[in-house]
Amino acid sequence: MQPVKIKEGIYWVGGIDWDLRNFHGYLTQRGSTYNAYLIIDEKITLIDTVKHYLYDEMIERISQVVDPAKIDYVVSNHVEMDHSGGLPKLLELAKNATVVTSAKGESGLKAHYKTEWNFKTVKSGDSLNLGSKNLQFLLTPMVHWPDNMMSYLVEDKILFSNDAFGQHLATSERFDDQYPLGIIKEEAAKYYANIVLPYGPQVIKALESASKFDIDIIASSHGIIWRSHIPEIIEEYKKWAANEFEDKAVIVYDTMWGSTAEIATAIQRGFENKNINTRMMNLDVNHISDIMTEVLTAKYICVGSPTINNNMLPSIASFLTYMKGLSPKKRTGLAFGSYGWGGQSIGQVEEVLSDCGFELMEKVKVQYVPEEENLQKISKQISKSI
Ligand code: FEO
């Protein structure tokens, strides 16, 4: 387990979670990494740790550079256990280390680990001298938890951004010019859509504050380190945070006997006839976290469910609950579905889309099995209304 040198005296010493497939409900088909960084100066400093079960991997990497017992500071940019899980054991080893964190970080770490450590709390604008290098701190609450902060290594122009700009991506390569950029960007978009999306205003504020830093490297806490494509990922973050999207329709549905699927296809044709790109997302074969990646850049969110026992299908309810929590804004919604007698599901779907603050298109409701003429009418209705 080797460390990876980032700049003189600065090393990646994180853990690679090759087998991770589920990050609290987010399907992580490509695994993940928890990135910890070691700075060698008069004061030896570790930025974040790793998930508890990768502690030994992190220690092995650190030990190639320095005795971990000599660590003076551990900067905790974020309390969440994928970054703090290795902290209790590390502090047993580095007995004199001080934990540098935000005030909310201190209370969050105490609440998680029920223990007193040496804490030094910092605010935005505070600096910490490490010898020849200086860290500056920027509090970034809600990107991703209230405790989040970023740390900027002034002399080396490295922004340790924690969750921001991360991707769930397990690789042996560490930099954005060593791995296919399309995959990195796809995973960065999926990460934003499933983790960061609710916090657009806070992201905008953090981007504004961080713009005063001259940045050579963005060393986030998951996945690949950005050094060659920094302007691109910052531009993407600006767009995502502002809820800017493409002329694209995502059609999410589930079906019992195929009628709602036929309506979904008729709706898809309606968009296609107006040259609007579409994504058909049958919940039977698509995971909600992958659907959210498409929602991130789509204007139209169409959701269809047949009615079962006076309700929408549980799969649709699950997707809608997930999407509502992630809070995409400024979209246009459309509810559709087939029914036998009650037909409550379509109104229920529409209610959630309305709760999301979406502008609504006229809902589409068909009893039992749609006829060809009916399907053509639906396509025309969609084309006309966009
Ligand atoms: Fe990667 Fe919010 O933890």
Side-chain angles (χ1 to χ4, degrees), residues 23-24 32-34 78-84 143-145 147-148 162-164 168 191 195 221-222:
F23 192 89
H24 42 63
S32 193
T33 71
Y34 316 105
H78 183 19
V79 169
E80 197 167 9
M81 290 86 89
D82 47 337
H83 309 296
S84 68
V143 190
H144 156 231
W145 280 9
D147 54 86
N148 267 83
N162 197 264
D163 279 340
H168 281 314
Y191 190 90
I195 303 273
S221 61
H222 295 289

Coordinates of all heavy atoms in Angstrom, one line a residue, residues 23-24 32-34 78-84 143-145 147-148 162-164 168 191 195 221-222, ligand 1:
F23 N -23.9 3.1 -1.1 CA -23.6 4.2 -0.1 C -24.9 4.8 0.3 O -25.5 5.6 -0.3 CB -22.7 5.2 -0.8 CG -22.0 6.2 0.1 CD1 -20.8 5.9 0.7 CD2 -22.7 7.4 0.4 CE1 -20.2 6.8 1.5 CE2 -22.1 8.3 1.3 CZ -20.9 8.0 1.9
H24 N -25.4 4.3 1.5 CA -26.7 4.6 2.0 C -27.8 4.8 0.9 O -28.4 5.9 0.7 CB -26.8 5.6 3.1 CG -26.0 6.9 3.0 ND1 -26.1 7.8 1.9 CD2 -25.0 7.4 3.7 CE1 -25.3 8.8 2.1 NE2 -24.5 8.5 3.2
S32 N -15.6 3.2 -4.4 CA -15.3 4.6 -4.0 C -13.9 4.6 -3.4 O -13.2 3.6 -3.2 CB -16.3 5.1 -3.0 OG -16.1 6.5 -2.8
T33 N -13.4 5.8 -3.1 CA -12.2 6.0 -2.2 C -12.6 7.0 -1.2 O -13.5 7.8 -1.3 CB -11.0 6.5 -3.0 OG1 -11.3 7.9 -3.4 CG2 -10.8 5.7 -4.3
Y34 N -11.8 6.9 -0.1 CA -11.9 7.9 1.0 C -10.5 8.5 1.0 O -9.5 7.8 1.3 CB -12.3 7.3 2.3 CG -13.4 6.3 2.1 CD1 -13.2 4.9 2.1 CD2 -14.7 6.8 1.8 CE1 -14.3 4.1 1.9 CE2 -15.7 5.9 1.5 CZ -15.5 4.6 1.5 OH -16.5 3.7 1.2
H78 N -14.8 17.1 7.8 CA -16.2 16.7 7.8 C -16.4 15.5 8.8 O -15.5 14.6 8.8 CB -16.5 16.2 6.4 CG -17.9 15.8 6.1 ND1 -19.0 16.1 6.9 CD2 -18.5 15.0 5.1 CE1 -20.1 15.6 6.4 NE2 -19.8 14.9 5.3
V79 N -17.4 15.5 9.6 CA -17.7 14.5 10.6 C -18.1 13.2 10.0 O -17.9 12.1 10.6 CB -18.8 15.0 11.6 CG1 -19.2 13.9 12.5 CG2 -18.2 16.2 12.4
E80 N -18.8 13.2 8.9 CA -19.4 11.9 8.4 C -18.4 10.8 8.5 O -17.2 11.0 8.2 CB -20.0 12.1 7.0 CG -21.0 10.9 6.7 CD -21.9 11.2 5.5 OE1 -21.7 12.2 4.7 OE2 -22.8 10.4 5.3
M81 N -18.9 9.6 8.8 CA -18.0 8.5 9.2 C -17.1 7.9 8.1 O -16.2 7.2 8.3 CB -18.8 7.4 9.9 CG -19.3 7.7 11.2 SD -20.9 8.5 11.0 CE -22.0 7.2 11.1
D82 N -17.4 8.3 6.8 CA -16.6 7.8 5.7 C -15.2 8.6 5.8 O -14.2 8.2 5.2 CB -17.2 7.9 4.4 CG -17.9 9.3 4.1 OD1 -18.3 9.9 5.1 OD2 -18.1 9.6 2.9
H83 N -15.2 9.7 6.5 CA -14.0 10.5 6.7 C -13.4 10.5 8.1 O -12.3 10.9 8.3 CB -14.2 12.0 6.2 CG -14.9 12.0 4.8 ND1 -14.2 11.5 3.7 CD2 -16.1 12.3 4.4 CE1 -15.0 11.6 2.7 NE2 -16.2 12.1 3.1
S84 N -14.3 10.3 9.1 CA -13.8 10.3 10.5 C -13.7 8.9 11.1 O -13.2 8.8 12.2 CB -14.8 11.1 11.3 OG -16.0 10.5 11.4
V143 N -22.4 21.6 2.8 CA -21.8 20.9 1.6 C -20.8 19.9 2.1 O -19.6 20.0 2.0 CB -21.0 22.0 0.8 CG1 -20.6 21.4 -0.6 CG2 -21.8 23.3 0.6
H144 N -21.3 18.9 2.9 CA -22.5 18.3 2.8 C -23.3 18.2 4.1 O -24.6 18.0 4.1 CB -22.2 16.9 2.3 CG -23.1 15.7 2.5 ND1 -22.7 14.5 3.0 CD2 -24.4 15.6 2.2 CE1 -23.6 13.7 3.0 NE2 -24.7 14.3 2.6
W145 N -22.7 18.5 5.3 CA -23.4 18.5 6.6 C -23.1 19.9 7.2 O -22.3 20.6 6.7 CB -22.8 17.4 7.5 CG -23.3 16.0 7.3 CD1 -24.1 15.6 6.3 CD2 -23.1 14.9 8.1 NE1 -24.4 14.2 6.4 CE2 -23.8 13.8 7.6 CE3 -22.4 14.6 9.3 CZ2 -23.8 12.5 8.2 CZ3 -22.4 13.4 9.9 CH2 -23.1 12.3 9.3
D147 N -21.3 20.7 9.5 CA -19.9 20.8 10.0 C -18.9 21.1 8.9 O -17.7 21.3 9.2 CB -19.5 19.6 10.8 CG -19.8 18.3 10.0 OD1 -18.8 18.0 9.2 OD2 -20.8 17.7 10.0
N148 N -19.3 20.9 7.7 CA -18.3 20.8 6.6 C -17.4 22.1 6.5 O -17.9 23.2 6.7 CB -18.9 20.6 5.2 CG -19.0 19.2 4.9 OD1 -20.0 18.5 5.3 ND2 -18.1 18.7 4.1
N162 N -13.0 18.3 0.6 CA -13.9 17.2 1.2 C -14.9 16.7 0.2 O -14.5 16.4 -1.0 CB -14.5 17.7 2.5 CG -15.0 16.5 3.2 OD1 -16.2 16.2 3.1 ND2 -14.1 15.8 4.0
D163 N -16.2 16.6 0.5 CA -17.2 16.0 -0.4 C -17.3 16.7 -1.7 O -17.6 16.1 -2.7 CB -18.5 15.9 0.3 CG -18.6 14.7 1.3 OD1 -17.8 13.8 1.2 OD2 -19.5 14.8 2.1
A164 N -17.2 18.0 -1.7 CA -17.4 18.8 -2.9 C -16.4 18.4 -4.0 O -15.2 18.1 -3.7 CB -17.2 20.3 -2.7
H168 N -17.8 8.9 -6.5 CA -17.6 7.5 -6.0 C -17.0 6.7 -7.1 O -17.7 6.3 -8.1 CB -19.0 6.9 -5.5 CG -19.4 7.4 -4.2 ND1 -18.5 7.5 -3.1 CD2 -20.6 7.9 -3.8 CE1 -19.2 8.0 -2.1 NE2 -20.4 8.2 -2.4
Y191 N -22.6 11.9 -8.3 CA -22.3 12.3 -6.9 C -23.1 13.6 -6.5 O -23.7 13.7 -5.5 CB -20.8 12.5 -6.7 CG -20.4 12.6 -5.2 CD1 -20.1 11.5 -4.5 CD2 -20.4 13.9 -4.6 CE1 -19.7 11.7 -3.1 CE2 -20.1 14.0 -3.3 CZ -19.7 12.9 -2.6 OH -19.4 13.0 -1.2
I195 N -25.9 13.5 -3.7 CA -25.4 13.9 -2.4 C -25.5 15.4 -2.2 O -26.0 15.9 -1.2 CB -23.9 13.5 -2.3 CG1 -23.7 12.0 -2.5 CG2 -23.3 14.0 -0.9 CD1 -23.9 11.1 -1.3
S221 N -12.4 14.5 -1.3 CA -12.3 13.3 -0.3 C -12.8 12.0 -0.9 O -12.8 11.0 -0.3 CB -13.1 13.6 0.9 OG -14.4 13.8 0.7
H222 N -13.3 12.1 -2.2 CA -13.7 10.8 -2.9 C -13.2 10.9 -4.3 O -13.4 11.9 -5.0 CB -15.3 10.7 -2.9 CG -15.9 10.6 -1.6 ND1 -15.8 9.4 -0.8 CD2 -16.7 11.4 -0.9 CE1 -16.5 9.6 0.3 NE2 -17.1 10.8 0.3
Ligands
FEO1 FE1 -18.1 11.7 2.0 FE2 -20.6 13.6 3.6 O1 -19.3 12.3 3.4

